[in-house]
């Protein structure tokens, strides 16, 4: 099968290789998916740069979509021909979705409604499920004020929509007017231009000094400051799924204690079985109802995987980068 892989850490142009690898066969309990698309996420490019190499070839990317073309023992043959999207395709395993075929446990290939295209479906495994889990941990959002950090990002775009659907007033941070328009189209009520405005001061202006009820945060290394400057109201919650700093982040304890704040962290690759099932059920229903807007920023053929990785690393794309196979 055609595939892209790397066997050492480094820049995309230096380490990504295109060629042929053996087509995988599904083991017991597995399905094989003929992939139509592969989603490129920030975690994929970070892994390529820094995650220790333990296998001869690392085929990158955890997300993708396609059609089941073979099944292993114990899996119903009725699943052959089923349109599916994939989660955790390259989590704790060397071969991900940047290739023509992937074999993986049957539960990791989720039925895709007919009206959803494969490019959009390559956005679900990490971006959409991260947003779903963040909103789940945030609790009841009806009539609450929610700050979505990086609302135009792949995850933020979904998180903002979910908060709006739950009846929240949503404030989003953005880096440009183009990104502001991007999130206004999905119902974000107010935007904060974090490059030119004080996020804390704008929050206070927009909430009459009360602060927001919930923050959905993608960079704890900067957003932790919101817990100490009055941006989050008493008994408020910060839900975090990432940080741009790999090392320690120092937080002020007293504001957390005296304001009875709640901090919640999670890794989308490592959800509990209960949370995973909740997320899959909820997302499936949203897809069936056609309730979400999907943002595919750019599509590249597999031979241009280097350009796809560079596009993600640029931080300038509004939405998901997808590879077509």
């Amino acid at each position: 099968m055609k595939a892209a892989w790397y066997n050492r850490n480094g820049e995309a142009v230096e380490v990504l290789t295109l060629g042929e690898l053996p087509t995988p066969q599904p083991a017991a309990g597995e399905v094989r998916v003929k992939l139509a698309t592969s989603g490129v996420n920030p975690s994929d490019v970070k892994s390529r740069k820094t995650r220790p190499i333990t296998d001869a070839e690392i085929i990158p990317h955890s997300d993708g979509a396609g059609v089941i073309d073979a099944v292993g023992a114990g899996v119903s043959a009725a699943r052959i021909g089923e349109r599916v999207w994939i989660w955790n395709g390259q989590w704790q395993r060397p071969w991900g979705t940047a290739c023509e075929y992937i074999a993986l446990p049957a539960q990791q290939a989720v039925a895709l409604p007919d009206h959803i295209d494969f490019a959009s479906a390559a956005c679900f495994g990490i971006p959409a499920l991260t947003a779903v889990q963040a909103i789940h941990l945030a609790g009841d959002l009806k009539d609450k004020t929610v700050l979505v950090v990086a609302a135009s990002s792949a995850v933020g775009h979904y998180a903002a929509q979910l908060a709006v659907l739950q009846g929240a007033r949503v404030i989003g941070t953005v880096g440009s007017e183009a990104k502001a328009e991007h999130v206004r189209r999905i119902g974000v009520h107010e935007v904060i231009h974090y490059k030119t405005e004080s996020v804390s001061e704008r929050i206070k202006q927009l909430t009459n000094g009360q602060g927001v009820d919930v923050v959905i945060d993608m960079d704890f290394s900067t957003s932790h400051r919101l817990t100490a400057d009055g941006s989050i109201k008493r008994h408020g919650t910060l839900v975090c799924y990432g940080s741009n700093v790999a090392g320690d982040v120092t937080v002020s304890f007293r504001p957390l204690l005296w304001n009875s704040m709640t901090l919640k962290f999670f890794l989308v690759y490592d959800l509990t079985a209960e949370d995973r099932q909740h997320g899959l059920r909820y997302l499936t229903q949203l897809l069936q109802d056609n309730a979400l807007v999907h943002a595919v920023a750019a599509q590249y053929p597999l031979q241009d995987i280097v350009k796809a990785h560079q596009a993600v690393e640029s931080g300038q794309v509004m939405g998901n980068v997808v590879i077509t196979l």
Side-chain angles (χ1 to χ4, degrees), residues 74-156:
V75 180
S76 172
R79 293 205 68 182
I80 295 175
E82 182 180 321
R83 301 172 78 249
V84 295
W85 62 273
I86 289 165
W87 55 270
N88 278 15
Q90 208 257 308
W91 172 243
Q92 297 182 334
R93 44 182 281 146
W95 283 17
T97 64
C99 55
E100 290 185 295
Y101 295 90
I102 186 171
L104 76 175
Q107 66 269 24
Q108 289 176 233
V110 185
L112 179 66
D114 289 340
H115 64 275
I116 305 292
D117 62 274
F118 287 130
S120 296
C123 310
F124 299 161
I126 292 175
L129 281 180
T130 298
V132 165
Q133 179 65 4
I135 295 297
H136 176 55
L137 292 178
D140 182 10
L141 296 180
K142 184 173 175 56
D143 298 325
K144 300 288 182 65
T145 300
V146 177
L147 176 73
V148 178
V149 176
S152 68
S153 69
V155 176

Side-chain angles (χ1 to χ4, degrees), residues 3-240:
W5 68 89
Y6 58 90
N7 53 27
R8 59 191 175 93
N9 298 122
E11 297 298 323
V13 70
E14 298 171 350
V15 302
L16 285 171
T17 299
L18 291 165
E20 294 281 337
L21 289 176
T23 300
Q25 299 301 316
E30 292 187 338
V31 298
R32 186 176 69 189
V33 178
K34 187 179 189 305
L35 291 158
T37 55
S38 174
V40 190
N41 289 286
S43 58
D44 297 317
V45 299
K46 290 176 184 176
S47 293
R48 187 203 72 237
K49 287 184 173 183
T50 63
R51 184 179 295 172
I53 305 297
T54 57
D55 297 272
E57 302 98 10
I58 304 296
I59 299 178
H61 311 164
S62 279
D63 293 354
V67 176
I68 293 174
D69 80 326
V71 298
V75 180
S76 172
R79 293 205 68 182
I80 295 175
E82 182 180 321
R83 301 172 78 249
V84 295
W85 62 273
I86 289 165
W87 55 270
N88 278 15
Q90 208 257 308
W91 172 243
Q92 297 182 334
R93 44 182 281 146
W95 283 17
T97 64
C99 55
E100 290 185 295
Y101 295 90
I102 186 171
L104 76 175
Q107 66 269 24
Q108 289 176 233
V110 185
L112 179 66
D114 289 340
H115 64 275
I116 305 292
D117 62 274
F118 287 130
S120 296
C123 310
F124 299 161
I126 292 175
L129 281 180
T130 298
V132 165
Q133 179 65 4
I135 295 297
H136 176 55
L137 292 178
D140 182 10
L141 296 180
K142 184 173 175 56
D143 298 325
K144 300 288 182 65
T145 300
V146 177
L147 176 73
V148 178
V149 176
S152 68
S153 69
V155 176
H157 192 254
Y158 282 120
Q161 291 180 73
L162 296 175
V164 169
L165 286 172
Q166 293 203 10
R169 175 196 181 197
V170 179
I171 303 169
T173 68
V174 296
S176 69
E177 185 54 34
K179 292 181 178 181
E181 288 302 315
H182 181 65
V183 301
R184 288 189 185 108
R185 287 194 290 269
I186 57 167
V188 170
H189 299 89
E190 289 100 3
V191 298
I192 300 174
H193 292 266
Y194 72 89
K195 292 182 179 180
T196 58
E197 300 178 298
S198 164
V199 174
S200 176
E201 289 305 312
R202 282 288 286 141
I203 288 173
K204 291 170 187 174
Q205 291 171 7
L206 293 168
T207 62
N208 295 318
Q210 298 300 303
V212 298
D213 297 281
V214 174
V215 173
I216 305 296
D217 171 31
M218 54 78 66
D219 179 22
F220 191 67
S221 68
T222 56
S223 296
H224 73 88
R225 302 180 187 119
L226 301 176
T227 65
D229 65 10
S231 296
I232 304 174
K233 66 173 54 174
R234 293 180 65 248
H235 300 279
T237 300
L238 186 151
V239 181
C240 182

Side-chain angles (χ1 to χ4, degrees), residues 113 115-116 124 128-129 131-133 135 158-159 161-163 165-166 278-294:
H115 64 275
I116 305 292
F124 299 161
L129 281 180
V132 165
Q133 179 65 4
I135 295 297
Y158 282 120
Q161 291 180 73
L162 296 175
L165 286 172
Q166 293 203 10
H278 166 270
L280 292 173
R281 287 194 302 268
Y282 184 41
L283 181 53
T284 296
Q285 187 62 58
L286 290 167
L287 297 175
Q288 290 173 345
D289 294 343
N290 209 24
L292 296 174
V293 176
H294 312 293

